[in-house]
Amino acid sequence: GAGPGRGAAGLGSPWRWNRLGAGLSLGLRSPWGWDRLGAAIAAGTAERSSVRRGEMAKSTQLIDNEVFRAYATYTAIVLLKMMLMSLITAYFRITRKAFVNPEDTASFGKGESAKKFLRTDPDVERVRRGHLNDLENIVPFVGIGLLYALSGPELSTALLHFRIFTGARIFHTFAYLIPLPQPGRGLSWAVGYSVTFSMAYKVLKTAWLL
Amino acid sequence: GAGPGRGAAGLGSPWRWNRLGAGLSLGLRSPWGWDRLGAAIAAGTAERSSVRRGEMAKSTQLIDNEVFRAYATYTAIVLLKMMLMSLITAYFRITRKAFVNPEDTASFGKGESAKKFLRTDPDVERVRRGHLNDLENIVPFVGIGLLYALSGPELSTALLHFRIFTGARIFHTFAYLIPLPQPGRGLSWAVGYSVTFSMAYKVLKTAWLL
Amino acid sequence: GAGPGRGAAGLGSPWRWNRLGAGLSLGLRSPWGWDRLGAAIAAGTAERSSVRRGEMAKSTQLIDNEVFRAYATYTAIVLLKMMLMSLITAYFRITRKAFVNPEDTASFGKGESAKKFLRTDPDVERVRRGHLNDLENIVPFVGIGLLYALSGPELSTALLHFRIFTGARIFHTFAYLIPLPQPGRGLSWAVGYSVTFSMAYKVLKTAWLL
């Protein structure tokens, strides 16, 4: 037949792309991991297609995609946790009556009576430090974690990274706000830091192109 | 021939997936939303491929890709807006002659004459607070927004999220710098916060893998 | 016919993926650049597939993927550099004995003897300002850079952006911490800023959907 499928046999054929994920579905490992990105993305489609036709799903493809789902889940959780710091800051600012912008104290009256609420409060400052520490640590996690999730790690390894980081940062927040005696906060910081470092190592090893 | 390529022409053919996401364009929902990532990425290709073969482009596929373009557009805009805060800070530092690093005042002379410019200025501090507030809110938007854009939302819904967030953050900056009386700034902060929260909910609902 | 299309009928056939990116392999430029995302992702796979079959790999496809690898490499480097600021801050806090949380000084004794270490130190504050400046500039780079890497730039152009930004930020850190006389730090900041701006321009030009 002269169907589109035939064309694929020709050199420079538009159909060459057809083979797209062929190697991957055979379980061959690419010498550079970013192939896995294609695999991860293709997995869902291939998977569904297989299921629809009653074939066995290739679990190794699905796993790659699950890594991205896991990344999405844990990233959303730690970013929501970070956003929570804004609410806690607002809570302490209002209950401690400690503001920084004059316009924020307008509801307490005008002039000197309001001015006295323009002050720093130890609890407010503590939450703000926790918030800044989150920014300093969660931003690298989100950025490096995305690249890590696309670098083809095993699902179990990736989950280990994401879970430890998320647990460490949640513990860090409690350790900062309660506060727990050191080295509780310091250790939880170091654990999260190490997880991000470990993911960065995997990313650099896989992607290295300087 | 009656090969699979042909079969694709038939309704409900198992080969529809070869065409890249056909199932999605029929409105079938994947049991796990990340399939849509494949669809979104493939959409442009399918679209072009279809056009080449004189077939009608499936507009619903294109929409998935348009979500990512919308995300890219609004993310670039809010990040540029955030970067603008650096320039405004520099502007106020220079016009108010309020610096924090001794080496920055060297052009004003040496010793005591320069030292007097090492001071805080209310306007500079105000811009810096606005900048930090941007970091605290735009970072979650960028991270969660990326996952949201890949979770297969309707274009109209995604645009609604992106537009409201971007508008709220631009308004927030004006409210902070003018400054507008409260609750202007507070409300614009809450609107942006809620948009990010709504996107995080969609991401977690779609991707959930703990 | 015995064309590749037929092959798709087989169980676990490598042909399933087929029509994926046919248009892309012809080197046709999409009117909207996000097609390149598909190309970038598919490139590695196509490349491998080609190699397996002894065909020449299309270097323009591989290049797209290399842009993403370059992005991953430089993003990991600048994020690790940013994370290094935490360690430098901790180093100065400990050697200068300048802490901000009471619980951090507990190892120096109780009461007044520990309280005297709750103070600000110029070196600590300097590192912290460098860290915050990193956040303000590296966050936009990571976010906009990802979109830029997916917008189909030439590898050489992309490498130029990534290398200049990374070099500028590393120089900025040295200029801040040594400190170097101005305008060393100011110029390195402006260079990094301009690179991010240039990438944002490309992203908006390619993706624009408001």
Side-chain angles (χ1 to χ4, degrees):
Chain A
R6 279 304 280 258
L11 261 179
S13 154
W15 301 106
R16 232 164 32 90
W17 270 98
N18 296 349
R19 315 236 155 94
L20 255 224
L24 289 167
S25 63
L26 294 176
L28 297 173
R29 298 288 297 201
S30 156
W32 40 288
W34 297 106
D35 277 21
R36 306 293 293 263
L37 173 52
I41 288 156
T45 311
E47 176 73 8
R48 292 211 49 244
S49 172
S50 298
V51 167
R52 282 188 62 244
R53 284 179 290 136
E55 292 175 13
M56 277 294 292
K58 291 225 164 60
S59 65
T60 50
Q61 296 175 344
L62 192 59
I63 278 167
D64 281 350
N65 213 310
E66 283 180 333
V67 168
F68 198 80
R69 286 173 57 206
Y71 167 75
T73 304
Y74 285 99
T75 290
I77 288 170
V78 291
L79 286 175
L80 285 172
K81 193 223 76 56
M82 189 173 89
M83 288 169 67
L84 186 63
M85 303 305 272
S86 297
L87 289 183
I88 301 175
T89 302
Y91 170 79
F92 277 116
R93 280 204 185 284
I94 291 165
T95 56
R96 265 62 166 171
K97 291 194 170 48
F99 299 92
V100 66
N101 295 300
E103 68 268 26
D104 298 355
T105 61
S107 61
F108 299 109
K110 293 208 175 224
E112 295 308 309
S113 65
K115 228 172 200 172
K116 69 176 180 231
F117 300 122
L118 293 178
R119 56 196 183 87
T120 58
D121 174 87
D123 290 327
V124 171
E125 295 308 304
R126 182 174 282 277
V127 184
R128 293 185 63 219
R129 288 195 299 275
H131 200 165
L132 188 57
N133 194 285
D134 269 358
L135 266 174
E136 292 169 358
N137 288 279
I138 290 177
V139 162
F141 171 82
V142 171
I144 291 172
L146 173 68
L147 304 171
Y148 172 76
L150 298 177
S151 73
E154 294 295 321
L155 176 62
S156 55
T157 315
L159 278 173
L160 198 69
H161 281 82
F162 300 156
R163 283 170 183 163
I164 292 174
F165 181 88
T166 305
R169 292 311 303 179
I170 291 173
F171 183 87
H172 183 272
T173 300
F174 280 105
Y176 220 145
L177 297 192
I178 292 179
L180 297 180
Q182 286 284 28
R185 195 186 85 235
L187 281 181
S188 62
W189 172 84
V191 167
Y193 194 90
S194 306
V195 167
T196 307
F197 196 87
S198 164
M199 295 194 304
Y201 174 77
K202 172 75 162 73
V203 168
L204 288 175
K205 210 180 57 166
T206 311
W208 192 259
L209 192 157
L210 212 56
Chain B
R6 288 295 289 253
L11 265 177
S13 157
W15 302 107
R16 278 191 306 149
W17 268 99
N18 293 345
R19 268 64 183 281
L20 273 200
L24 288 168
S25 64
L26 292 177
L28 296 174
R29 298 291 298 202
S30 157
W32 38 288
W34 298 107
D35 276 22
R36 307 292 293 261
L37 172 54
I41 288 156
T45 312
E47 177 74 7
R48 295 213 45 249
S49 172
S50 297
V51 167
R52 281 188 60 244
R53 285 181 286 137
E55 292 173 14
M56 276 295 291
K58 293 225 164 58
S59 65
T60 47
Q61 297 174 342
L62 194 59
I63 278 167
D64 281 350
N65 213 311
E66 282 179 333
V67 167
F68 198 79
R69 285 172 59 206
Y71 167 74
T73 304
Y74 285 98
T75 290
I77 288 170
V78 291
L79 286 176
L80 286 172
K81 192 223 76 58
M82 188 172 90
M83 289 169 67
L84 186 63
M85 304 305 273
S86 297
L87 290 182
I88 301 175
T89 302
Y91 170 80
F92 278 116
R93 280 203 185 285
I94 291 165
T95 56
R96 265 60 167 172
K97 291 193 170 50
F99 299 92
V100 66
N101 295 301
E103 68 268 24
D104 298 356
T105 62
S107 61
F108 299 109
K110 293 207 176 226
E112 293 309 307
S113 65
K115 229 173 201 172
K116 69 176 180 232
F117 300 122
L118 293 179
R119 57 197 182 86
T120 57
D121 174 86
D123 290 327
V124 171
E125 296 308 305
R126 182 174 282 276
V127 184
R128 291 185 64 219
R129 287 196 298 275
H131 200 167
L132 188 58
N133 194 286
D134 269 358
L135 266 175
E136 293 168 356
N137 288 279
I138 290 177
V139 162
F141 171 81
V142 171
I144 291 173
L146 173 68
L147 305 170
Y148 172 75
L150 298 176
S151 72
E154 294 295 320
L155 176 61
S156 56
T157 314
L159 280 173
L160 197 69
H161 281 81
F162 300 158
R163 283 170 183 160
I164 292 175
F165 182 87
T166 305
R169 292 310 302 181
I170 291 172
F171 183 87
H172 183 272
T173 300
F174 281 105
Y176 219 146
L177 297 192
I178 293 179
L180 297 180
Q182 286 283 30
R185 195 186 86 235
L187 282 182
S188 62
W189 171 84
V191 167
Y193 194 90
S194 306
V195 168
T196 307
F197 197 86
S198 164
M199 296 194 304
Y201 174 77
K202 172 76 162 72
V203 167
L204 288 175
K205 209 180 57 167
T206 311
W208 191 260
L209 191 156
L210 212 56
Chain C
R6 280 303 283 255
L11 263 178
S13 158
W15 302 106
R16 276 191 308 145
W17 263 97
N18 294 349
R19 277 95 206 212
L20 255 225
L24 288 167
S25 64
L26 292 177
L28 297 174
R29 299 288 296 203
S30 156
W32 41 285
W34 298 107
D35 276 22
R36 306 293 294 261
L37 172 53
I41 288 157
T45 312
E47 176 73 8
R48 293 211 46 246
S49 172
S50 297
V51 168
R52 282 185 60 241
R53 286 178 290 135
E55 292 174 14
M56 277 294 292
K58 288 224 167 59
S59 65
T60 50
Q61 297 173 344
L62 193 58
I63 278 168
D64 281 350
N65 212 311
E66 282 180 334
V67 167
F68 197 80
R69 285 173 56 205
Y71 167 74
T73 304
Y74 285 99
T75 290
I77 288 171
V78 291
L79 286 176
L80 285 172
K81 192 223 75 59
M82 188 173 89
M83 288 168 68
L84 186 62
M85 304 305 273
S86 297
L87 289 182
I88 301 175
T89 301
Y91 170 79
F92 277 115
R93 280 204 184 283
I94 290 166
T95 56
R96 265 60 167 172
K97 291 194 171 47
F99 299 92
V100 67
N101 295 301
E103 68 267 25
D104 298 356
T105 62
S107 61
F108 299 109
K110 294 208 173 224
E112 294 307 309
S113 65
K115 230 172 199 174
K116 67 175 183 233
F117 300 121
L118 294 178
R119 57 197 183 86
T120 57
D121 174 87
D123 290 327
V124 171
E125 295 308 305
R126 183 174 282 278
V127 184
R128 292 185 64 219
R129 287 196 299 275
H131 200 167
L132 188 58
N133 194 285
D134 269 358
L135 266 174
E136 292 168 358
N137 288 278
I138 290 177
V139 162
F141 171 81
V142 171
I144 291 173
L146 173 68
L147 304 170
Y148 172 75
L150 298 176
S151 73
E154 295 294 320
L155 177 60
S156 56
T157 315
L159 279 174
L160 198 71
H161 281 81
F162 300 157
R163 282 171 183 160
I164 291 175
F165 181 88
T166 305
R169 291 310 303 181
I170 290 172
F171 183 87
H172 183 273
T173 300
F174 280 105
Y176 218 146
L177 296 193
I178 292 179
L180 297 178
Q182 287 283 28
R185 194 186 86 235
L187 282 182
S188 62
W189 171 84
V191 167
Y193 194 89
S194 307
V195 168
T196 307
F197 196 87
S198 165
M199 296 194 305
Y201 174 77
K202 173 75 162 72
V203 167
L204 288 175
K205 209 180 56 167
T206 311
W208 191 260
L209 191 157
L210 212 57

